[in-house]
């Protein structure tokens, strides 16, 4: 074994501070192994690591993806499955990984440097020197169980995506863009056919080839002790140097030294079918090669052009194809950073019989744009806004610069020179602002309108859906016959033996040698609260920011809550009560909110068309949005937000008033939005996970809930009624939209939250005087509505309801059960329940080992929904959701009846994970401010509630955990006390129904359409809509609506 060197072997290559971000970036390289390290020093409670390897493979075996899982199964010095994650949870850390086409990244997400430093060398050994045992490969990648079914964590994951619309279209596009032996051609996640025959030896060989320190870059973001870091890495290299290939051995750098992708020789158009019973709409993708990723100026120009072409409803492609011609519900763009940047446009929800026609029209618009004069004023505004948005993203992201650093490592020179040129300043935008029109037109032609390309027309097929179902059923049956009873028994034993080997108990001493780190290095972000108007009723504050607010306080009664943070931006939020909106109109919020920023306005008696409104908005802002208040803990509220540079604070307030009260309810805009939202519904109904949540919402929320009212299963019918009225009686819809506006924007419904550097706000309070002109400020402020008040009877008292929904668009199964839980944040059981869930859900914890570790599901989790008085258990992407559910119940029963002991070290880890969750929720200045507002105003909790909760969870006793598992958790698995929803592939229906019946549930097989609700917005004489309208709980939803509306 090599001796530890007396001097550091990591030499600094670059060190610089971007002139637009409060951070410092340092790049090191090991002189011994070639390992790269890039540190982004910035303040905050979190330290995040992205340990990235360039990974290239020329087949669909899925070997890169399998390593993303197998590296967590143990390492040379820590040869036990789960030891890494058990240690991580004790150190306020969480691990994860992802596999992209060109790299694999392992993440370490930690609260504070001390925990990060403790886990770092252990984690890196798992990456570089994993065990990669046969048993681990068997359970994690693919196996056949005793029932003859294919399983395995990786297999289950890919089973859930292989035959989806997006995957089928993307894979075919890659096959046409890239020839054989170019790595971007292949499915690195693994194709099911190849995963079934992938060997452990092939995986080990890929690891030997790619997982070398010279091919590894550590990207670390947070408050980092550089001296400690380099000491840890020096010691780590000493420990691995004799087990890795010689650092000076020949090595072909992936992507840079391998065969490059040739340019396209011609344009190609193909149709790809995907399984779907609703054949009404498909999708189009068009893909081009762009500039070199190392050409910084042209890469930036490409971003600007894409915003100009398809960045908003005012951009040319979106405006023409979506807003005016209404041939698609949206035109999205994306880029993939590769040696030659990949440019892709996606046209969604296109009528199936018009796919080819719309593709041709897309290119007509592109060519017209390149040929005609460009709107240079708007293009220059796009450049200015892009610069602002980059500055804002650096502030708002917990991990700024991680992505460009990864791509620099993959494709640029390893000396960091390109990294510095790319990130040190934004001067490239100064150059772009000087470019003449002809240069921009030339780029549109060269990269897009006149360039060779690959077009995929995604066409839905009910025949293919049935064919895949039939073929899979026949394949599994043939597999069972091939093995026979004895062979299946042997497979069952082989799996049991593999599990036994994987699950060897970790010696207590291995875990005990690593203590729970100190919390001293966790630097939580503090914000300062100030209040004006009605907000002062929450309590008088004594601080410097409050004094600044008081100086400008004009006795305006408007509720304004300020959170002072160090920022160059002001985030101005209206929090709006929805209680005044009549229940039958709440589904119409989908259209009202969608049009808030994309409608004409009247200014000084003149109508300003919506395109100009959008252009002016984008010129003044960095972000604007309106939607449910999930981020502040109450989705029954609405939050309207405009973010601006701090000196434009007054402009943000002006925009809020103008958009709300001067907006024009334009029939053309309303019709366009209605058609677009309707066109999106078939695609939304293709996700098993999303539809699981949608059905659950229909069952457990009352019609008063705006979450339910705006859901896909309501929009599917309600919007047809809107469309009908727009044709027959359009004034009816306009009247109803005005009713919504008048109901929402009453003075008594509005609270304001401002997140900004208060010291930089010229008139923090008096700027709101014009906003309140015309409002009845004499009315008292309405209380914040509670989510619990909008829970249905079935949601308040769950039990005995069970629904199974077969979906031809999914290849796996999903399950969600709901039971009663605490309905108040002061409930004394919450600390014990929080620890119980953290303990059960821990990575390599009881549920992970029992369910994910055995290939029964990609994942499971418990959730506490205090605002609605519920808890839930979720099974995500499972080859058999019943088995995952059954095993989950057995795990909890073991703790309740005492046959399974609680592990003291794991309990310490559970509490550390709770600390990490607090840090996650407040990882940036804006997030910390938002949580402070939610805590004080929405949930009416004390400022120090987090501190109180952390203290209480540390005091929780095992007896309290066992008690909440018995009284609160176990009922979520019991038919009498839980409601159950399952979505699944049709081929799984019978087996899942039988399984859940044996657990006491009585699953009713229902279609998605049977859960739909039109809220009374019926289409006269439309028998199809009547057939689609569903009943829940034996009561028609229209009757339920009448009861709710009457109570108003």
């Amino acid at each position: 074994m090599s001796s530890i060197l007396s001097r550091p072997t990591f030499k600094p290559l670059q060190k610089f501070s971007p002139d637009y971000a409060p951070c410092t970036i340092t790049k090191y390289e090991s002189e011994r192994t070639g390992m790269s390290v890039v540190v982004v020093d910035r303040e905050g409670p979190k330290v995040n690591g992205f340990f990235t390897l360039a990974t290239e493979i020329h087949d669909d075996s899925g070997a890169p993806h399998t390593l993303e899982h197998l590296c967590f199964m143990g390492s040379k010095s820590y040869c036990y499955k789960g030891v890494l994650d058990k240690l991580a949870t004790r150190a306020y850390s969480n691990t994860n990984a992802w596999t992209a086409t060109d790299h694999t990244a392992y993440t370490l997400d930690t609260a504070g440097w001390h925990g990060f430093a403790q886990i770092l060398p252990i984690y890196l050994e798992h990456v570089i020197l994993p065990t990669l045992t046969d048993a681990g490969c068997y359970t994690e990648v693919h196996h056949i169980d005793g029932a003859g079914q294919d399983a395995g964590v990786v297999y289950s994951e890919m089973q859930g995506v292989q035959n989806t619309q997006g995957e089928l279209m993307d894979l075919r596009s890659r096959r046409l863009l890239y020839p054989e032996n170019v790595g971007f051609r292949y499915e690195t996640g693994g194709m099911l056919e190849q995963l079934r025959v992938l060997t452990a030896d092939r995986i080990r060989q890929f690891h030997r080839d790619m997982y070398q320190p010279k091919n590894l870059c550590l990207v670390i973001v947070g408050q980092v002790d550089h001296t400690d870091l380099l000491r840890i890495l020096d010691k780590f290299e000493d420990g691995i140097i004799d087990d890795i290939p010689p650092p000076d051995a020949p090595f072909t750098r992936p992507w840079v030294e391998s065969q490059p992708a040739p340019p396209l020789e011609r344009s190609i158009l193909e149709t790809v079918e995907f399984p779907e019973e609703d054949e009404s709409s498909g999708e189009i993708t068009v893909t081009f090669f762009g500039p070199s990723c190392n050409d910084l100026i042209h890469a930036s120009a490409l971003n600007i052009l894409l915003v100009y072409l398809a960045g908003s409803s005012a951009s040319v492609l979106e405006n023409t194809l979506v807003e005016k011609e209404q041939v698609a519900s949206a035109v999205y763009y994306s880029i993939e950073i590769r040696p030659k940047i990949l440019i892709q446009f996606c046209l969604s929800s296109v009528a199936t019989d018009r796919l080819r026609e719309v593709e041709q029209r897309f290119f007509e618009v592109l060519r017209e744009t390149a040929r005609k004069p460009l709107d240079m004023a708007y293009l220059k505004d796009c450049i200015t806004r892009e610069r602002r948005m980059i500055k804002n993203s650096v502030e708002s992201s917990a991990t700024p610069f991680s992505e460009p650093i990864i791509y620099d490592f993959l494709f640029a020179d390893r000396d960091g020179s390109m990294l510095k040129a790319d990130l040190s300043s934004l001067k490239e935008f100064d150059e772009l602002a000087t470019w003449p029109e002809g240069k921009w037109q030339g780029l549109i032609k060269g990269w897009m309108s006149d360039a060779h390309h690959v077009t995929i027309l995604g066409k839905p097929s009910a025949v293919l859906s049935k064919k895949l179902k039939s073929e899979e059923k026949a394949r599994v049956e043939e597999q069972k016959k091939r093995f026979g009873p004895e062979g299946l028994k042997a497979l069952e034993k082989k799996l049991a033996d593999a599990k036994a080997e994987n699950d060897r108990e970790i010696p207590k001493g291995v875990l005990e040698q690593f203590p729970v780190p100190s919390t001293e290095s966790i630097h939580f972000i503090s914000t300062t609260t100030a209040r004006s108007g009605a907000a002062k009723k929450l309590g008088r504050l004594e601080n410097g920011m409050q004094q600044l607010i008081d100086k400008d306080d004009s006795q305006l009664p408007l509720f304004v809550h300020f959170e002072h943070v160090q920022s160059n931006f002001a985030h101005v939020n209206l929090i709006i009560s929805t209680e005044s909106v009549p229940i039958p109109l709440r589904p119409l919020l989908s259209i009202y909110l969608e049009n808030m920023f994309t409608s004409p306005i009247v200014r000084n008696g003149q109508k300003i068309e919506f395109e100009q409104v959008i252009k002016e908005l984008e010129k003044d802002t960095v972000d604007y949005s309106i939607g449910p208040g999930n981020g502040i803990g109450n989705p029954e509220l609405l939050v309207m937000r405009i973010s601006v540079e701090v000196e434009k604070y007054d402009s943000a307030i002006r925009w809020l008033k103008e958009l709300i009260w001067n907006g024009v309810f334009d029939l053309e805009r309303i019709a366009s939005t209605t058609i677009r939202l309707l066109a999106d519904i078939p695609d939304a109904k293709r996700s098993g996970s999303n539809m699981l949540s949608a059905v659950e919402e229909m069952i457990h929320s009352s019609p008063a809930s705006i979450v339910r009212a705006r859901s896909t299963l309501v929009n599917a019918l309600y919007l047809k009624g809107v469309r009908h009225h727009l044709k027959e009686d359009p004034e009816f819809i306009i009247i109803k939209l005005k009713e919504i506006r008048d109901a929402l924007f009453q003075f008594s419904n509005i609270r304001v939250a401002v997140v900004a550097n208060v010291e930089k706000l010229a008139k923090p309070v008096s700027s709101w005087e014009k906003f309140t002109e015309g409002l009845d400020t004499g009315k008292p402020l309405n209380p914040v509505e509670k989510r619990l008040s909008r829970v249905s009877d079935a949601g308040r008292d769950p039990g005995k309801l069970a629904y199974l929904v077969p979906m031809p668009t999914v290849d796996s199964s999903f399950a969600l059960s709901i039971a009663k839980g605490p309905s108040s944040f002061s409930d004394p059981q919450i600390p014990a329940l929080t620890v119980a869930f953290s303990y059960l859900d821990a990575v390599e914890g009881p549920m992970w080992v029992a369910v994910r570790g055995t290939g029964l599901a990609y994942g499971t989790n418990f959730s506490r929904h205090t605002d609605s008085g519920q808890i839930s258990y979720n099974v995500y992407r499972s080859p058999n959701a019943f088995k995952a559910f059954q095993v989950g119940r057995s795990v909890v029963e073991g703790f309740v009846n005492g046959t399974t002991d609680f592990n003291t070290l794991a309990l310490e880890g559970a509490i550390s994970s709770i600390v990490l969750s607090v840090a996650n929720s407040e990882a940036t200045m804006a997030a910390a401010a938002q949580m402070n507002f939610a805590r004080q105003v929405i949930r009416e909790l004390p400022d120090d509630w987090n501190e109180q909760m952390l203290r209480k969870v540390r005091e929780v006793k095992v007896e309290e955990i066992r008690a909440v598992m018995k009284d609160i958790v176990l009922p979520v698995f019991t038919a009498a006390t839980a409601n159950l929803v399952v979505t699944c592939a049709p081929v799984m229906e019978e087996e899942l129904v039988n399984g859940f019946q044996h657990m006491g549930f009585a699953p009713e097989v229902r279609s998605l359409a049977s859960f739909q609700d039109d809220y009374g917005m019926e289409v006269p004489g439309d028998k199809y809509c009547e057939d689609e309208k569903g009943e829940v709980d034996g009561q028609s939803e229209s009757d339920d609506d009448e009861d709710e509306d009457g109570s108003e």
Side-chain angles (χ1 to χ4, degrees), residues 212-317:
Q212 301 185 34
K214 69 178 74 173
N215 195 35
L216 171 66
C217 180
L218 313 183
V219 183
I220 304 173
V221 183
Q223 290 185 255
V224 175
D225 182 332
H226 286 243
T227 302
D228 195 25
L229 171 65
L230 298 182
R231 179 191 60 79
I232 290 168
L233 294 179
D234 278 332
K235 186 175 180 181
F236 169 71
E237 287 196 334
D238 273 303
I240 65 166
I241 197 69
D242 292 336
D243 294 295
I244 61 173
D248 57 355
F251 179 77
T252 300
R253 184 180 169 189
W255 310 116
V256 173
E257 297 174 353
S258 53
Q259 179 179 325
L264 287 170
E265 296 179 353
R266 60 188 177 90
S267 293
I268 304 171
L269 183 146
E270 283 198 9
T271 298
V272 171
E273 292 188 340
F274 59 90
E276 169 61 279
E277 290 185 349
D278 183 343
E279 297 183 327
S280 62
S281 67
E283 193 166 277
I284 301 170
T285 60
V286 185
T287 310
F288 311 88
F289 285 119
S292 164
C293 67
N294 293 324
D295 183 344
L296 300 182
I297 192 69
H298 282 94
S300 297
L302 174 61
N303 284 324
I304 300 300
L305 273 182
L306 291 173
V307 171
Y308 179 87
L309 292 170
S312 71
S313 296
S315 58
V316 60
L317 290 171

Side-chain angles (χ1 to χ4, degrees), residues 705-1001:
S705 167
I706 68 165
V707 180
R708 182 187 192 275
R710 298 178 62 242
S711 72
T712 299
L713 297 178
V714 170
N715 281 344
L717 295 185
Y718 191 92
L719 293 177
K720 290 179 181 178
V722 173
R723 183 176 60 187
H724 167 78
H725 281 289
L726 287 171
K727 291 178 181 177
E728 303 298 327
D729 184 15
E731 192 62 27
F732 172 81
I733 298 299
I734 289 179
I735 290 171
K736 296 305 177 184
L737 288 169
K738 288 180 178 177
E739 283 184 36
I740 288 176
R741 179 179 64 187
D742 293 343
L744 283 176
F745 294 103
Q746 301 174 31
F747 181 83
S748 55
N749 283 341
I750 297 172
R751 290 169 173 82
V752 176
V754 177
V755 178
N757 186 332
V758 173
E759 295 172 318
K760 293 183 179 180
L761 299 178
K763 297 178 180 179
V765 180
S766 58
S767 293
W768 287 94
E769 290 176 352
K770 290 184 179 179
F771 178 84
T772 58
E773 287 178 0
L775 296 179
D776 184 356
T777 59
K779 287 186 176 182
L781 192 63
N782 291 326
V784 175
E785 54 259 49
K786 303 299 183 185
R787 171 83 170 130
L788 188 61
S789 69
R790 297 184 181 180
V791 174
S792 69
D793 290 342
R796 289 173 183 270
D797 188 22
K800 301 180 182 176
L801 293 182
Y803 300 107
L804 188 140
V805 184
M807 295 178 60
T809 53
V810 301
D811 290 327
S812 53
S813 60
F814 305 81
L816 180 65
S817 60
I818 297 284
K820 280 186 179 179
S823 58
S824 167
F825 285 93
S826 61
D827 191 306
Q829 292 181 301
I830 282 183
L833 186 61
T834 303
V835 176
F837 281 174
S838 182
Y839 184 89
L840 291 168
D841 280 341
V843 179
E844 292 297 341
M847 301 302 294
W848 177 289
V849 170
V851 180
R852 179 176 171 124
T854 58
L856 290 178
Y858 187 71
T860 66
N861 72 282
F862 292 95
S863 296
R864 170 171 55 87
H865 312 283
T866 307
D867 295 299
S868 55
Q870 299 166 335
I871 67 162
S872 63
Y873 175 68
N874 185 285
V875 176
Y876 180 77
R877 202 185 287 163
S878 168
N880 188 316
F882 159 68
K883 289 184 179 179
F885 192 87
Q886 183 183 45
V887 167
R889 183 175 73 174
S890 297
V891 169
V892 176
E893 284 177 334
F895 290 109
V896 169
N897 61 32
T899 57
T900 305
D901 293 328
F902 287 93
N903 183 290
T904 303
L905 298 177
L907 284 171
E908 291 178 353
I911 293 168
S912 293
S913 294
I914 295 168
V915 174
L916 175 61
S917 70
V918 173
N920 284 337
S921 68
E922 303 182 8
T924 66
M925 290 180 289
Q930 178 175 275
M931 290 305 298
N932 207 18
F933 170 80
R935 198 158 42 238
Q936 296 179 44
V937 178
I938 306 303
R939 290 177 170 165
E940 300 175 339
L941 298 171
D943 291 353
D944 64 345
W945 191 84
N946 275 345
E947 290 81 357
Q948 291 182 32
M949 181 56 60
L950 291 176
R951 184 176 65 253
K952 288 176 181 178
V953 299
R954 287 189 173 99
E955 297 169 352
V956 167
K957 303 292 190 293
V958 167
E959 293 76 16
E960 296 175 275
I961 302 172
R962 183 175 283 114
V964 296
M965 284 191 178
K966 178 183 178 182
D967 298 337
I968 300 177
V969 183
L970 197 54
V972 86
F973 297 98
T974 306
T977 51
N979 293 335
L980 174 71
V981 181
V982 179
T983 55
C984 66
V987 71
M988 299 177 176
E989 176 187 321
E990 183 178 353
E991 184 176 9
L992 291 175
V993 167
N994 291 337
F996 282 109
Q997 282 177 341
H998 285 129
M999 290 185 73
F1001 291 91

Side-chain angles (χ1 to χ4, degrees), residues 305 374 376 379-380 383 430-443:
L305 273 182
L374 301 178
M376 290 302 294
L379 194 146
K380 289 187 177 182
I383 295 172
D430 296 330
E431 181 178 341
L432 294 177
T434 68
W435 281 12
E437 179 182 48
K439 190 159 187 174
W440 293 103
Q441 290 172 315
L443 294 181

Side-chain angles (χ1 to χ4, degrees), residues 449-669:
S449 65
D450 296 349
H452 294 317
H453 55 272
V454 169
T455 296
I456 301 295
L457 307 181
K459 181 179 178 183
S461 170
V463 172
L464 178 61
S465 175
K466 293 173 183 173
K467 178 173 179 282
L468 290 173
K469 173 184 174 181
S470 173
E471 288 178 350
E472 177 63 7
K473 188 173 183 179
R475 186 191 69 79
V476 173
E477 287 303 315
E478 189 280 329
Q479 184 166 271
K480 292 178 181 178
K481 288 179 183 178
R482 186 170 75 252
F483 284 104
E486 293 304 313
L488 292 176
K489 283 183 181 178
L491 288 172
E492 187 173 20
K493 183 178 185 305
K494 183 178 180 181
L495 179 58
D497 291 344
K499 289 179 182 177
E501 181 180 339
N502 290 339
D503 296 337
R504 287 179 303 132
E505 186 176 354
I506 303 170
K508 198 174 180 182
V510 172
L511 301 176
E512 286 180 331
Q513 65 180 306
F514 297 97
V516 175
S518 163
T519 58
E520 290 177 3
S521 67
I522 306 175
H523 304 288
F524 287 101
I525 296 172
S526 61
T527 65
T528 305
T529 302
R531 297 167 179 152
S532 74
K536 287 185 176 180
K537 294 180 180 179
L538 295 180
R540 174 71 186 173
L541 299 171
E542 298 293 341
N543 59 61
M545 296 308 112
Q546 185 65 55
Q547 291 173 9
L548 286 175
I549 295 302
D550 290 344
K551 287 179 182 178
D552 185 48
D553 199 335
S554 57
Q555 302 306 309
L556 188 72
L558 183 66
F559 183 109
V560 188
H561 177 108
F562 294 91
E563 287 292 331
H564 170 70
V565 296
Q566 294 300 319
S567 173
N568 292 314
F569 299 91
H571 308 281
V572 184
N573 305 267
L574 297 187
I575 291 82
I576 308 148
S577 168
T578 58
E579 193 65 27
S580 305
V581 179
I583 290 174
L585 293 187
R586 292 184 186 180
L588 198 56
L589 282 167
S590 294
I591 292 173
Y592 181 78
L593 300 181
E594 194 74 17
N595 279 352
M596 176 61 77
F597 299 101
T598 58
S599 293
I601 61 172
V602 173
R603 182 185 295 153
N604 300 324
Q606 298 292 316
K607 182 180 179 182
I608 311 296
E609 293 300 336
F610 82 93
E611 293 95 340
Q612 185 61 29
V613 172
I614 293 171
K615 290 177 181 179
E616 291 183 19
L617 257 175
E618 292 183 346
K619 187 174 183 178
D620 284 347
T621 69
V622 291
D623 188 32
Y624 51 86
S625 64
I626 186 168
N630 300 73
I632 56 172
N634 191 336
E636 297 298 337
L637 297 169
L638 293 177
V639 177
M640 185 175 181
R641 172 178 299 137
I642 293 184
S643 299
V644 295
E645 291 167 302
V646 71
E647 57 269 21
K648 291 187 176 181
Y649 174 65
D650 185 69
S651 175
I653 299 171
R654 175 181 60 79
W655 270 115
L656 288 169
K657 183 178 179 68
E658 198 165 38
L659 291 164
I660 292 167
W661 296 112
N662 295 0
V664 176
F665 294 112
D666 182 271
L667 279 175
E668 184 178 332
R669 301 294 308 125

Side-chain angles (χ1 to χ4, degrees), residues 10-16 18 23-30 34-42 47-52 113 116 120 124 213 216-224 226 229-230 233 399-410 412-420 423:
F10 283 82
K11 63 179 180 181
L13 298 180
Q14 300 288 346
K15 183 174 183 179
F16 59 94
C23 66
T24 300
I25 299 173
T26 309
K27 177 163 187 175
Y28 301 96
E29 185 178 73
S30 170
M35 185 194 304
S36 298
V37 183
V38 182
V39 179
V40 181
D41 283 295
R42 60 166 286 160
V47 180
N48 293 90
F50 304 85
F51 311 145
T52 306
W113 170 250
F116 189 95
L120 177 61
L124 293 180
L216 171 66
C217 180
L218 313 183
V219 183
I220 304 173
V221 183
Q223 290 185 255
V224 175
H226 286 243
L229 171 65
L230 298 182
L233 294 179
T399 56
F401 304 122
S402 57
E403 188 172 306
I405 291 169
I406 287 173
Y407 286 113
D408 178 85
F409 170 72
L410 295 178
D413 293 339
R414 290 284 173 85
D415 62 4
S417 57
M418 189 70 70
L419 183 69
K420 183 176 182 179
L423 300 183

